[in-house]
Amino acid sequence: MNTEKDFSPLTPNIVRALNDKLYEKRKVAALEIEKLVREFVAQNNSTQIRHVIQILASEFALSQHPHSRKGGLIGLAACSIALGKDSGLYLKELIEPVLTCFNDSDSRLRYYACEALYNIVKVARGAVLPHFNLLFDGLSKLAADPDPNVKSGSELLDRLLKDIVTESNKFDLVAFVPLLRERIYSNNQYARQFIISWIHVLESVPDINLLDYLPEILDGLFQILGDNSKEIRRTCEVVLGEFLKEIKKTPSSVKFAEMANILVIHCQVADEAKLTNDLIQLTAMTWMREFIQLAGRVVLPYSSGILTAVLPCLSYDDRKKNTKEAASACNHSLMKLVTPEDDEDEEEEKSGSTGSPSKEEHQPKTEVDSNDILNASQESVGLSNISFFAPANADRPQVTLDLDGIVQVLDRHLHDSSTGMMTRIAVLKWLYHLYIKTPRKMFRHTDSLFPMLLKTLSDESDEVILKDLEVLAEIASSPAGQTDQTGPCDSTDNKLELKVPESAKPGQQPKAVDSSPSTPSMNSYFYKFMINLLKRFSLERKLLENRGAFIIRQLCLLLHAENIFHSMADILLKEEDLKFASTMVQTLNTILLTSAELFQLRNQLKDLRTQESCALFCCLYRSWCHNPVATVSLCFLTQNYKHAYDLIQKFGDLEVTVDFLIEVDKLVQLIESPIFTYLRLQLLDVENNPYLIKALYGLLMLLPQSQAFQLLSHRLRCVPNPELMRTVDESKYMDSKKQVVSKRASHTQVDYNELLQHFDRVQSKHLEVRHQRSGRASDHPDRKLM
């Protein structure tokens, strides 16, 4: 430094001492400067005061010589002490050169700068608040300083500044938040500790409402929550917990919508291998749960994003039990927000969507800014692979359900083979709920959802299949699904032309003749469903073998059993794959005869006293002809014993195979079951049931000497002598019997000769197909019994 330069009012001795390498001499110079400045203060000579500060800043603190910089720093601190309460008038000139020294490469000099600023702030107290951003910016850098002495000094200054902010009611939060939002994304551990400690302090000050600015720092807080330091994570948890408590106390003033997307991002785990991500996800999910409960329908525009985050968590194991429970609560609460109101104003929505500008053009500026912030933070932390959703219909003041987005998310989870069982169940529950609450809007998506819903019937879980069947049953029976048009789901099934009953046609009231009072009205999707279900059974025989009976029984509970059997019989009547038709009839027949769900249908068929029951019998019979033994069992069920006997007489012309005899064996077992108790009791009335006995003897003659043969033979040996059974006057008894038969015949309009002819035609087709098959595969052993 040029010692000949004029530094007045500083004396040459002061200047030399300030430049000295020894701290003690610099300290002596600082005391002289303090005395000099006090004199200027007493004289109220602000010009000289500013001149002294300017010399110390430019000629010393900002000098190229390290000792001069150290002298300048202690000199500026001395000025501040001398000025006392008046230092606030000169703070800009005092602080700026000191902060510049925070960037010095010499750690000792950075320490002296920290010491000098401490003295300046200690004297000025609340007067430094207008310069808070500058101080905070400098301190945030020192917090990450590698030198422990510098770090220790910065911590002392940090505590002093926090005390000042806590005591004052003049803190400018609006000016501070942009700096806080910028610095909160620091990856340095010490800088994060510094940031989170300041947020904790500010959040605890009653006069500072940091909650209003939470949307701007919430993403950064979740980033800090993933820090490797346990102490930082704990502090961040405390801060977030305090914010959440405040949100619960004052939900009306909370900007839920601006924070919804932030929570959606952090509810999704980017790297499951990192344990800290589990904490982030659990905390975000807990916040989401509270948001949904507190904000209500405000979060509906973000529902697709919420579901994207929530649904995968439902399949977590016990290692993430808390996250799973929070996600389940979110899912349940969100589902409750969807109401029938969301299905209204469909025409207004259509007209609005055709001619209105895009969402981006009408989106409020505040929302755009918020999204920009979120996107920027997302890129900064490497979450580009996380799903991010913009709110649907953000230009509308009225909250609307993002139905299209929800359906897209649900459909994607159904298609994903890695989706867990509980997630698939939740997806199907959502679809069912949406079809119940918003049927008109949901049926716009049915054609795209339908194929996947059918495919889900092959799921490994019975519970998934049950929920899937509930959705399909609701689609098939909802009045909103009625249409004359056929969807793409049955475009390949033109050969199966199934007539829609009058009761199911749109615009017409159901007739009592066509369905019983308990029969729900079926829409056009019911027949598409039945056609495609049978087609799936045909393509996936294992599905039919393992789950076919289970699926059909559940459908009989969800929809009317008569509708199920009537429609399937109609479809099978036109089935070209005769082997499948026979297998399917055998399955349906077993369900009909053994399932508790079919009790009412069995009773309806047992007596054939109504036109409806006769029509149902004829419909089933024509398809049952694909399987001769099933046809006989249907005749037994409907007490058409003479017709059963006539059919068994024709069995001699059929190809009797091992499979055929196994079916006869099963029929004998069924005759001994509770289902056919009435049939066994009718064996007591030998004279009026001769064809029943003949039919049973016919079955006996078909069977080889097997266990079933012995069982049926023993039963027939128990048939009593008709002479011994007469206990009343024969003429009166016969008259009574004729009245019963007459009453049944008066309602029965069944042409049994025509049915026999139909049976012959169907069996001829089966015989022709078997011969063709045996001709193509002549090397296979012939299973026909000679």
Side-chain angles (χ1 to χ4, degrees):
M1 176 175 289
N2 185 5
T3 55
E4 298 179 357
K5 192 174 181 180
D6 183 17
F7 293 102
S8 60
L10 297 181
T11 65
N13 289 335
I14 293 176
V15 172
R16 279 195 301 272
L18 286 176
N19 287 307
D20 200 282
K21 64 179 180 178
L22 295 176
Y23 171 76
E24 292 299 328
K25 290 188 177 181
R26 294 196 300 271
K27 186 176 180 181
V28 171
L31 292 173
E32 292 296 324
I33 292 172
E34 181 181 346
K35 186 185 300 183
L36 181 65
V37 172
R38 285 185 190 277
E39 294 176 0
F40 291 147
V41 170
Q43 300 168 6
N44 198 21
N45 191 344
S46 60
T47 303
Q48 287 289 63
I49 294 172
R50 291 187 186 279
H51 188 51
V52 169
I53 294 173
Q54 192 271 331
I55 291 173
L56 290 172
S58 59
E59 299 297 334
F60 290 89
L62 301 179
S63 170
Q64 298 295 321
H65 196 278
H67 299 311
S68 298
R69 291 200 296 273
K70 294 173 185 177
L73 289 171
I74 198 171
L76 289 171
C79 288
S80 176
I81 293 170
L83 288 167
K85 63 180 182 180
D86 293 333
S87 63
L89 300 173
Y90 310 93
L91 277 177
K92 187 175 186 297
E93 294 89 339
L94 289 169
I95 290 174
E96 288 184 355
V98 177
L99 289 175
T100 302
C101 292
F102 277 9
N103 299 318
D104 200 284
S105 59
D106 185 350
S107 61
R108 291 295 299 169
L109 203 141
R110 294 197 301 273
Y111 175 79
Y112 287 131
C114 191
E115 184 182 52
L117 189 59
Y118 179 88
N119 289 313
I120 294 170
V121 172
K122 185 177 181 180
V123 172
R125 302 295 293 183
V128 301
L129 290 179
H131 309 279
F132 179 81
N133 278 16
L134 286 173
L135 297 173
F136 183 89
D137 180 55
L139 274 176
S140 66
K141 297 173 183 176
L142 289 187
D145 198 285
D147 188 273
N149 292 325
V150 176
K151 193 179 299 180
S152 176
S154 70
E155 289 172 358
L156 288 172
L157 177 58
D158 181 53
R159 283 198 292 271
L160 173 62
L161 199 56
K162 284 173 181 173
D163 289 341
I164 293 171
V165 170
T166 305
E167 295 168 359
S168 175
N169 58 358
K170 297 180 180 179
F171 182 73
D172 189 355
L173 185 62
V174 176
F176 173 60
V177 167
L179 177 62
L180 178 61
R181 184 178 64 227
E182 174 192 340
R183 292 304 167 88
I184 202 169
Y185 287 107
S186 172
N187 290 323
N188 183 278
Q189 199 171 87
Y190 298 105
R192 282 181 165 182
Q193 180 71 61
F194 173 77
I195 294 290
I196 197 66
S197 67
W198 265 102
I199 295 175
H200 194 191
V201 168
L202 294 175
E203 202 276 332
S204 64
V205 177
D207 295 332
I208 298 176
N209 188 12
L210 192 57
L211 186 63
D212 285 345
Y213 302 92
L214 183 57
E216 300 192 48
I217 63 172
L218 183 61
D219 181 59
L221 284 173
F222 275 105
Q223 299 296 331
I224 294 176
L225 189 62
D227 194 89
N228 293 327
S229 168
K230 187 176 181 180
E231 182 181 353
I232 293 175
R233 292 199 303 271
R234 188 183 297 113
T235 306
C236 192
E237 279 188 89
V238 171
V239 169
L240 286 168
E242 292 298 323
F243 273 125
L244 192 56
K245 287 180 183 177
E246 194 171 348
I247 287 171
K248 292 178 181 178
K249 290 179 183 177
T250 59
S252 59
S253 61
V254 178
K255 301 173 182 177
F256 291 106
E258 295 182 23
M259 292 185 279
N261 269 330
I262 300 172
L263 296 181
V264 166
I265 292 172
H266 293 288
C267 281
Q268 301 174 71
V269 178
D271 183 6
E272 294 187 2
K274 291 185 66 176
L275 295 178
T276 54
N277 283 335
D278 293 343
L279 176 61
I280 294 173
Q281 187 181 34
L282 174 58
T283 307
M285 197 67 71
T286 303
W287 275 61
M288 185 70 78
R289 179 189 64 200
E290 299 298 334
F291 270 36
I292 295 172
Q293 293 174 355
L294 294 171
R297 289 179 60 85
V298 171
V299 301
L300 277 182
Y302 305 88
S303 50
S304 58
I306 295 172
L307 283 176
T308 298
V310 165
L311 288 174
C313 301
L314 300 178
S315 293
Y316 283 170
D317 55 26
D318 289 341
R319 289 174 297 178
K320 295 185 177 182
K321 182 179 179 181
N322 293 335
T323 304
K324 181 179 179 179
E325 290 175 352
S328 180
C330 287
N331 184 57
H332 182 69
S333 299
L334 186 63
M335 190 179 292
K336 285 167 61 176
L337 297 179
V338 181
T339 65
E341 297 175 3
D342 296 305
D343 204 30
E344 296 174 359
D345 302 324
E346 184 178 13
E347 295 301 320
E348 287 81 353
E349 285 186 14
K350 288 183 178 178
S351 61
S353 62
T354 53
S356 62
S358 64
K359 298 178 193 174
E360 291 76 13
E361 292 176 357
H362 278 276
Q363 201 168 5
K365 187 178 187 303
T366 55
E367 195 73 87
V368 173
D369 292 343
S370 175
N371 286 341
D372 287 343
I373 292 165
L374 287 173
N375 279 318
S377 66
Q378 191 175 347
E379 292 172 5
S380 67
V381 295
L383 293 179
S384 58
N385 60 329
I386 296 285
S387 298
F388 186 84
F389 292 82
N393 300 327
D395 56 314
R396 298 188 181 186
Q398 182 182 1
V399 175
T400 55
L401 178 68
D402 180 19
L403 185 63
D404 293 348
I406 291 176
V407 172
Q408 182 182 359
V409 171
L410 298 176
D411 187 48
R412 186 170 68 246
H413 278 87
L414 272 185
H415 276 84
D416 188 355
S417 59
S418 64
T419 301
M421 182 189 74
M422 297 307 297
T423 299
R424 295 198 299 275
I425 291 172
V427 167
L428 294 167
K429 284 182 178 179
W430 260 103
L431 289 173
Y432 181 78
H433 184 72
L434 292 173
Y435 273 108
I436 294 293
K437 299 296 183 181
T438 59
R440 289 187 300 167
K441 292 181 179 179
M442 274 303 293
F443 267 95
R444 298 200 301 245
H445 302 278
T446 299
D447 285 341
S448 62
L449 290 170
F450 202 73
M452 195 59 215
L453 289 172
L454 284 169
K455 186 178 180 181
T456 306
L457 292 174
S458 302
D459 197 274
E460 297 177 354
S461 166
D462 286 351
E463 194 171 353
V464 171
I465 294 175
L466 280 173
K467 294 301 176 185
D468 190 35
L469 289 172
E470 286 181 13
V471 178
L472 288 166
E474 181 59 30
I475 291 174
S477 59
S478 173
Q482 189 54 262
T483 174
D484 288 328
Q485 298 176 352
T486 56
C489 57
D490 65 342
S491 60
T492 60
D493 298 299
N494 295 330
K495 62 177 183 178
L496 298 174
E497 297 177 1
L498 185 62
K499 296 182 178 179
V500 179
E502 294 296 321
S503 60
K505 289 184 179 178
Q508 297 186 12
Q509 295 295 326
K511 299 179 182 179
V513 175
D514 295 324
S515 61
S516 64
S518 62
T519 307
S521 60
M522 299 295 121
N523 59 38
S524 54
Y525 276 99
F526 173 79
Y527 301 95
K528 297 176 183 179
F529 177 29
M530 291 297 104
I531 289 170
N532 283 277
L533 177 60
L534 288 175
K535 183 177 180 180
R536 193 155 195 87
F537 283 151
S538 176
L539 296 174
E540 294 186 36
R541 296 300 172 88
K542 285 188 178 180
L543 176 63
L544 176 59
E545 294 172 9
N546 300 332
R547 299 291 181 82
F550 171 73
I551 290 172
I552 294 170
R553 287 202 320 270
Q554 294 304 318
L555 284 175
C556 288
L557 290 174
L558 296 167
L559 303 169
H560 199 269
E562 182 180 343
N563 285 338
I564 301 295
F565 273 75
H566 196 293
S567 59
M568 285 191 169
D570 245 348
I571 298 167
L572 289 171
L573 190 61
K574 303 173 179 65
E575 177 60 52
E576 293 180 357
D577 185 348
L578 299 183
K579 186 177 180 180
F580 166 70
S582 177
T583 303
M584 194 67 221
V585 165
Q586 182 183 355
T587 302
L588 290 171
N589 186 66
T590 303
I591 296 170
L592 176 63
L593 294 179
T594 61
S595 299
E597 296 87 352
L598 277 297
F599 175 78
Q600 185 178 350
L601 186 60
R602 285 196 295 271
N603 282 344
Q604 184 179 345
L605 288 168
K606 190 179 292 183
D607 294 329
L608 299 183
R609 290 185 177 181
T610 64
Q611 183 179 348
E612 292 83 2
S613 61
C614 291
L616 177 60
F617 166 71
C618 291
C619 176
L620 296 181
Y621 181 94
R622 295 179 186 280
S623 290
W624 261 232
C625 287
H626 284 297
N627 189 296
V629 179
T631 312
V632 170
S633 65
L634 180 63
C635 291
F636 282 157
L637 176 65
T638 57
Q639 303 183 62
N640 283 302
Y641 301 133
K642 183 179 184 305
H643 194 71
Y645 172 70
D646 292 339
L647 287 173
I648 293 172
Q649 288 290 95
K650 292 180 175 292
F651 283 6
D653 299 328
L654 301 180
E655 185 178 19
V656 180
T657 63
V658 172
D659 291 339
F660 179 88
L661 291 177
I662 290 174
E663 291 183 39
V664 176
D665 190 296
K666 291 179 180 178
L667 176 56
V668 172
Q669 302 294 334
L670 281 173
I671 291 172
E672 294 297 322
S673 70
I675 298 295
F676 282 112
T677 299
Y678 68 92
L679 181 147
R680 298 195 300 274
L681 288 174
Q682 287 173 351
L683 290 174
L684 295 173
D685 187 3
V686 178
E687 288 191 351
N688 291 291
N689 293 293
Y691 287 105
L692 171 58
I693 299 172
K694 287 185 176 183
L696 293 178
Y697 269 109
L699 291 179
L700 186 66
M701 295 303 107
L702 286 171
L703 288 168
Q705 298 286 326
S706 61
Q707 184 178 356
F709 177 90
Q710 298 297 333
L711 189 64
L712 184 55
S713 175
H714 183 70
R715 174 64 66 184
L716 290 172
R717 284 201 298 271
C718 296
V719 174
N721 188 323
E723 295 296 330
L724 297 177
M725 296 302 294
R726 290 181 181 169
T727 58
V728 297
D729 183 74
E730 183 178 357
S731 61
K732 292 182 180 179
Y733 176 79
M734 294 303 295
D735 289 343
S736 174
K737 187 68 177 177
K738 287 178 181 178
Q739 289 177 5
V740 174
V741 173
S742 175
K743 183 178 180 181
R744 173 169 170 146
S746 64
H747 294 283
T748 304
Q749 300 176 354
V750 179
D751 187 349
Y752 288 101
N753 290 327
E754 192 276 330
L755 292 180
L756 281 174
Q757 293 172 8
H758 177 77
F759 178 84
D760 290 337
R761 290 195 296 270
V762 172
Q763 289 306 311
S764 296
K765 288 183 181 178
H766 278 268
L767 184 62
E768 181 181 349
V769 169
R770 278 198 293 271
H771 285 168
Q772 291 175 354
R773 190 182 297 121
S774 62
R776 288 195 300 267
S778 57
D779 57 323
H780 286 190
D782 188 4
R783 301 180 68 190
K784 182 176 179 181
L785 296 181
M786 302 303 293

